[in-house]
Amino acid sequence: MSRFVEYWWGQSFHFAPRWREETIRESIKRFEHFIALQLGLKKGMKVLDVGCGIGGPLIEISRFSSTEITGLNNNAYQISRGKDLISSAGLSEQCNLIKGDFMNMPFADNTFDAAYAIEATMHAPDVLGAYREIYRVLKPGQYFAVDELCLTERFDPSNSKHRGIKAEIELGCGLPDVRSTRQCIQAMKDAGFEVVFAKDLTEDSPCKWYQANRVMDPVVMLWASFNNSGLGQFITKAMIGALEILRIVPKGSNGMLTTIQKSSHGLLTGSRERIFTAMFFILGRKPLKQGE
């Protein structure tokens, strides 16, 4: 799955708000710069990337801000791949990846000058527990930025169609639950953070994340339209199935494709019906003292 996502999407496994003139990868870089600016990152600061994937955001943010960034991830393949990418980028002195559990981090209290989590803590079995652990390792007075996939106020738990969309997202993204924006904000507060601001960044995005840029990327637009159609999905599954039988692609690739297709349907439908957002951003601050 990691190799597939890196090939099709890039080294940063997340969505981003887009301008009409931007490619998807340009928008992703701009969003990572936005996070660095929101955190006030400066040279010499020690930063934590919670659930760092293969290190795409970590590399970009470290270059942009000249900070030292530690990435935490519990996936051995992604850690190995990320270390190779960091070495290739010439950032081995600034960046480091550690295999570990963000529900029980191997760091002392008050270690980091800033922290961020991009579509990572959504995988936590207990989001409050994850936020509390980030609060613990962050220095007093410093900031934590989090980007989550969330349900919006439009989600109706009594609506069977809405529940089906939610289930597809949970399956495809490997989530224990898709939490609401309210739940995430409340969890930040309960963890001890002062919520500086919280916003659904899709609201101000001129070009939705699921829209290919017609001017910049007409081939991608054509392929995306075909691949999301019933015929396109059938043909793609048949091709992958044949390649799997011939052992050209790994065993289980067709099952992975089915999961991705279900997830894509849920993400697209949920976003278009506005019951789901792929970019709910919260900036929190750890008070200098308890209650301050």
Side-chain angles (χ1 to χ4, degrees), residues 57-106:
L58 178 151
I59 290 169
E60 185 63 33
I61 291 173
S62 181
R63 280 174 170 166
F64 180 74
S65 62
S66 299
T67 49
E68 298 176 19
I69 305 183
T70 298
L72 183 70
N73 192 335
N74 68 353
N75 183 296
Y77 168 78
Q78 291 186 353
I79 290 287
S80 175
R81 176 63 178 148
K83 286 183 176 179
D84 288 342
L85 294 174
I86 288 170
S87 178
S88 297
L91 292 172
S92 297
E93 297 298 316
Q94 282 180 239
C95 302
N96 181 38
L97 300 186
I98 294 176
K99 188 176 186 298
D101 179 6
F102 61 49
M103 301 298 294
N104 184 25
M105 297 189 199

Side-chain angles (χ1 to χ4, degrees), residues 15-269:
F15 300 110
R18 290 176 60 205
W19 296 103
R20 295 192 184 279
E21 297 79 13
E22 284 182 317
T23 64
I24 289 174
R25 295 191 183 188
E26 286 171 345
S27 71
I28 285 172
K29 283 190 175 185
R30 183 171 57 81
F31 181 51
E32 290 163 358
H33 296 175
F34 165 82
I35 289 174
L37 293 170
Q38 293 300 313
L39 291 171
L41 300 188
K42 298 176 182 178
K43 186 174 181 178
M45 293 177 70
K46 297 184 183 299
V47 183
L48 175 64
D49 182 331
V50 181
C52 61
I54 62 171
L58 178 151
I59 290 169
E60 185 63 33
I61 291 173
S62 181
R63 280 174 170 166
F64 180 74
S65 62
S66 299
T67 49
E68 298 176 19
I69 305 183
T70 298
L72 183 70
N73 192 335
N74 68 353
N75 183 296
Y77 168 78
Q78 291 186 353
I79 290 287
S80 175
R81 176 63 178 148
K83 286 183 176 179
D84 288 342
L85 294 174
I86 288 170
S87 178
S88 297
L91 292 172
S92 297
E93 297 298 316
Q94 282 180 239
C95 302
N96 181 38
L97 300 186
I98 294 176
K99 188 176 186 298
D101 179 6
F102 61 49
M103 301 298 294
N104 184 25
M105 297 189 199
F107 307 119
D109 295 358
N110 308 323
T111 296
F112 295 99
D113 300 302
Y116 63 87
I118 308 176
E119 296 179 26
T121 49
M122 63 186 189
H123 295 284
D126 170 21
V127 72
L128 174 57
Y131 290 169
R132 279 177 171 163
E133 189 66 354
I134 294 164
Y135 183 94
R136 179 184 68 80
V137 302
L138 188 64
K139 292 179 181 178
Q142 303 306 314
Y143 292 87
F144 166 51
V146 61
D147 180 45
E148 300 274 22
L149 305 186
C150 286
L151 299 173
T152 70
E153 298 293 328
R154 292 173 176 262
F155 176 79
D156 180 2
S158 66
N159 185 312
S160 60
K161 182 180 179 182
H162 287 191
R163 293 198 305 271
I165 292 169
K166 178 176 181 285
E168 287 181 331
I169 295 170
E170 290 167 347
L171 172 67
C173 296
L175 305 180
D177 189 18
V178 183
R179 303 174 181 102
S180 70
T181 55
R182 283 188 179 185
Q183 284 177 304
C184 289
I185 292 172
Q186 190 59 51
M188 285 285 284
K189 292 178 179 178
D190 292 344
F193 287 103
E194 167 199 348
V195 174
V196 179
F197 80 89
K199 185 175 179 59
D200 179 358
L201 298 181
T202 65
E203 293 178 352
D204 298 331
S205 181
C207 186
K208 303 304 181 185
W209 66 265
Y210 52 82
Q211 291 176 322
N213 191 311
R214 292 177 183 267
V215 176
M216 299 295 294
D217 230 344
V219 175
V220 171
M221 182 67 184
L222 181 62
W223 167 249
S225 297
F226 171 74
N227 195 43
N228 286 324
S229 68
L231 176 61
Q233 291 187 4
F234 175 80
I235 292 175
T236 304
K237 281 180 64 65
M239 290 172 59
I240 296 297
L243 293 173
E244 191 173 324
I245 291 171
L246 295 171
R247 298 184 180 180
I248 295 174
V249 298
K251 184 179 179 180
S253 295
N254 217 359
M256 183 195 71
L257 177 65
T258 299
T259 299
I260 290 173
Q261 288 176 338
K262 287 183 178 180
S263 173
S264 296
H265 179 267
L267 292 168
L268 287 166
T269 307

